[in-house]
Amino acid sequence: MTVLKKQITEAVAAIRKDSALTPRIGIVLGTGLSGLAEKIDVQTRIAYKDIPHFPDSTVDTHAGELLLGSLAGTPVVAMSGRFHAYEGYTLQQVTFPIRVAKELGIHTLVVSNAAGGLNPQFAAGDLMVITDHINMMGDNPLIGPNDDTLGPRFPDMIEPYSNTLIELAENVALALGIKLQRGVYLACPGPCLETRAEYRFMRTIGADAVGMSTVPEVIVAVHAGIRVLGFSAITDECLPDALKPVDIAKIIATANSIEPLLSDIVIRCIERMEGKDRTA
Ligand code: HPA
């Protein structure tokens, strides 16, 4: 057994002492987007620090606990608070909860983040469904020996975000009357924001939004055969020729204002995925 497999087994065993729930869907709540956690009918709440091999979350805006319960009648596991590379974690650590969620039973992952808008058609306050990504983290969580029981050595990235789920999200947004942008998310390691020259470059290479997360988790989800639905809350506009100084408090406030839209879409998507919504 590889070290990683052993660590996953130990984390799952610790969680199983508190909860017998088999989640079908995993949810990662991004910066300023933890409101969805309040909609979960939580059965068990476990602090990350009480789960073996889970790193401790260091960012104040992230609560740092695993929630097991049900959302829209479906068993889910939610990460309220995620780990970032800029906190000093390896990408293997950042993505460890995804491995654990897979072992707990998930087949689908819903990821969210706060991101800067690079597409000039986007405005702060918009919500975007992620259609694809660009990894500019300069790192990859799959570097190192591959455990073939967890996934293939060379995972195919032809469709990291499920086209079926993107279409579902777009249909749901239409039905709910929510404007939903679509686009490519580019991940940087952070923690500094990007320069004007970097924003110009990112836009040129095809990115619509930029942030400091999500891509490592999605790579591991793809490796593990989990289908992914991803959303970016566009919190600020990263237009190189009209750039304003970044205000982190404002970014978080904007993410908070987008959160109810995200919650509504995710809940309705889950209902439709699980066949519990027969209205459309
Ligand atoms: N870069 C720019 N703007 C942002 C980011 C980022 O990583 N995250 C949220 N807004």
Side-chain angles (χ1 to χ4, degrees):
M1 193 190 271
T2 58
V3 174
L4 176 58
K5 193 71 182 275
K6 188 164 174 284
Q7 290 178 339
I8 297 167
T9 308
E10 286 169 4
V12 169
I15 295 164
R16 284 278 169 251
K17 276 193 199 138
D18 290 334
S19 171
L21 183 129
T22 300
R24 296 174 54 76
I25 297 176
I27 303 171
V28 180
L29 303 165
T31 306
L33 300 170
S34 54
L36 184 57
E38 281 145 40
K39 308 267 169 45
I40 298 172
D41 182 6
V42 178
Q43 280 180 11
T44 310
R45 196 179 275 276
I46 311 175
Y48 291 160
K49 65 173 174 46
D50 296 330
I51 307 173
H53 314 295
F54 257 57
D56 229 346
S57 187
T58 65
V59 185
D60 308 345
T61 47
H62 291 67
E65 52 185 17
L66 202 68
L67 310 175
L68 293 119
S70 84
L71 182 62
T74 296
V76 298
V77 59
M79 283 181 67
S80 187
R82 64 143 61 86
F83 304 107
H84 300 85
Y86 62 73
E87 294 171 86
Y89 302 121
T90 64
L91 293 191
Q92 284 78 9
Q93 289 177 299
V94 166
T95 55
F96 185 68
I98 308 299
R99 299 280 185 207
V100 171
K102 164 77 182 183
E103 192 62 28
L104 287 171
I106 71 161
H107 55 70
T108 300
L109 180 71
V110 180
V111 284
S112 62
N113 58 57
L118 294 162
N119 185 327
Q121 313 266 24
F122 292 2
D126 281 353
L127 184 62
M128 178 187 98
V129 64
I130 306 176
T131 55
D132 208 345
H133 73 220
I134 298 173
N135 181 10
M136 276 189 51
M137 287 198 150
D139 197 359
N140 190 302
L142 304 180
I143 290 174
N146 187 61
D147 183 334
D148 294 337
T149 67
L150 298 178
R153 171 73 291 187
F154 301 108
D156 194 346
M157 296 297 278
I158 191 170
E159 192 185 328
Y161 302 84
S162 158
N163 284 334
T164 307
L165 296 183
I166 292 168
E167 198 183 325
L168 174 65
E170 289 183 326
N171 287 336
V172 162
L174 201 61
L176 294 175
I178 295 171
K179 178 170 79 168
L180 184 62
Q181 306 280 16
R182 53 167 25 228
V184 175
Y185 176 86
L186 183 150
C188 282
C192 59
L193 280 291
E194 296 72 28
T195 65
R196 289 173 201 265
E198 287 165 343
Y199 288 141
R200 195 173 287 113
F201 168 68
M202 289 168 185
R203 182 67 190 140
T204 306
I205 63 169
D208 296 290
V210 53
M212 304 173 191
S213 67
T214 305
V215 165
E217 290 113 310
V218 172
I219 290 173
V220 163
V222 170
H223 184 249
I226 300 167
R227 48 174 208 167
V228 178
L229 173 62
F231 295 96
S232 290
I234 306 298
T235 53
D236 52 305
E237 292 160 20
C238 303
L239 305 173
D241 299 313
L243 199 61
K244 299 195 186 77
V246 72
D247 178 342
I248 298 298
K250 202 165 157 207
I251 283 183
I252 292 168
T254 306
N256 287 154
S257 75
I258 302 169
E259 195 286 323
L261 307 180
L262 176 71
S263 281
D264 285 353
I265 291 188
V266 170
I267 288 170
R268 188 66 72 89
C269 281
I270 292 176
E271 286 169 353
R272 289 204 192 171
M273 270 184 233
E274 299 289 316
K276 293 192 173 100
D277 170 34
R278 310 229 178 262
T279 58

